[in-house]
């Protein structure tokens, strides 16, 4: 029990530290991978919070799911297209992508979304806002998935125990594409 308490205490301090750093200006070409990693951690934490409300375990990071998610996020960015399916036969479905990168996971789910950063966005009620921090981008992406029946089902599927989250940034359009791949046996 002490280990669990210490782990969650450490995780809480780490997340608070990330949140305070998450107020910095979004995405510069300098050290982009570290910036994306910060955002991925925030998204993962928010997803795990939604799972905790349903008394579900936190998701474990999986290297193969992460690689498959990155492959798809980069593809969507390159094609400027939001979809779960690619035209290439070897990477057409989320399952195909996981298998292509070496994953041996039988149950796969996938969430995709994109949002804008440092640009005005109008929500469904017509209110203008700007995603100008990591926290705001993470909130926006997770809220989109929370409000989508199919995406939310992936988040709260009990049989999913692993995940990989990846992002891809388009600096010309200020879009950030997000892919989260879920896995279970």
């Amino acid at each position: 029990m002490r280990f669990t308490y210490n782990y969650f205490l450490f995780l809480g301090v780490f997340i608070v530290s990330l949140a305070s750093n998450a107020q910095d200006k979004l995405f510069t070409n300098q050290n982009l991978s570290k910036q994306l990693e910060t955002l991925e951690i925030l998204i993962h934490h928010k997803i795990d919070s939604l799972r905790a409300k349903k008394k579900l375990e936190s998701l474990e990071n999986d290297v193969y799911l992460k690689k498959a998610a990155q492959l798809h996020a980069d593809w969507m960015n390159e094609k400027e297209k939001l979809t779960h399916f690619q035209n290439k036969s070897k990477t057409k479905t989320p399952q195909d992508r996981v298998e292509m990168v070496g994953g041996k996971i039988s149950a796969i789910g996938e969430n995709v979304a994109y949002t804008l950063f440092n640009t005005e966005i109008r929500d469904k009620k017509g209110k203008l806002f700007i995603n100008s921090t990591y926290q705001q981008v993470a909130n926006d992406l997770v809220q989109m998935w929370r409000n989508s029946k199919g995406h939310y089902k992936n988040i709260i599927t009990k049989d999913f125990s692993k995940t990989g989250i990846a992002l891809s940034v388009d600096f010309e359009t200020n879009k950030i594409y997000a892919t989260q791949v879920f896995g279970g046996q």
Side-chain angles (χ1 to χ4, degrees):
M1 186 67 173
R2 182 148 178 84
F3 170 76
T4 303
Y5 172 77
N6 287 338
Y7 171 76
F8 284 113
L9 178 62
F10 168 77
L11 185 60
V13 169
F14 181 70
I15 294 297
V16 168
S17 171
L18 281 176
S20 64
N21 291 338
Q23 299 306 314
D24 296 338
K25 194 71 173 169
L26 273 183
F27 306 119
T28 62
N29 284 321
Q30 189 176 18
N31 206 5
L32 180 62
S33 64
K34 199 66 166 161
Q35 296 170 64
L36 293 176
E37 181 182 340
T38 297
L39 183 53
E40 289 164 4
I41 291 168
L42 289 169
I43 291 168
H44 191 159
H45 175 70
K46 290 176 183 306
I47 294 296
D48 281 345
S49 293
L50 289 174
R51 289 177 60 85
K53 289 178 184 175
K54 296 288 186 180
K55 301 194 182 339
L56 298 171
E57 296 288 322
S58 295
L59 295 167
E60 176 186 333
N61 286 321
D62 181 90
V63 66
Y64 298 108
L65 297 179
K66 165 72 173 169
K67 286 179 182 179
Q70 193 65 64
L71 182 71
H72 194 55
D74 290 341
W75 183 87
M76 289 190 301
N77 188 2
E78 177 187 323
K79 301 295 183 186
E80 297 180 351
K81 184 176 183 179
L82 187 66
T83 181
H84 291 283
F85 302 101
Q86 295 184 13
N87 300 337
K88 303 172 188 176
S89 62
K90 290 184 179 181
T91 56
K92 186 173 184 88
T93 68
Q95 184 75 47
D96 293 338
R97 292 187 286 277
V98 170
E99 290 172 4
M100 182 182 171
V101 299
K104 308 273 189 251
I105 300 170
S106 58
I108 298 292
E110 181 183 73
N111 287 355
V112 297
Y114 78 82
T115 192
L116 300 172
F117 62 93
N118 298 335
T119 302
E120 284 188 345
I121 306 169
R122 193 172 300 278
D123 68 13
K124 289 182 178 183
K125 296 180 181 178
K127 181 181 174 191
L128 285 176
F129 67 97
I130 297 175
N131 285 327
S132 58
T133 67
Y134 299 111
Q135 245 348 318
Q136 290 168 333
V137 171
N139 287 339
D140 194 25
L141 290 167
V142 172
Q143 196 59 44
M144 282 187 251
W145 290 334
R146 171 63 185 94
N147 292 334
S148 164
K149 187 176 180 180
H151 290 118
Y152 183 60
K153 182 179 177 188
N154 283 337
I155 291 170
I156 62 168
T157 293
K158 180 180 157 186
D159 294 336
F160 289 151
S161 59
K162 300 176 181 182
T163 193
I165 300 169
L167 306 163
S168 187
V169 177
D170 182 338
F171 286 102
E172 290 180 20
T173 62
N174 283 2
K175 279 186 185 175
I176 182 159
Y177 290 86
T179 303
Q180 180 171 21
V181 181
F182 300 86
Q185 300 304 338

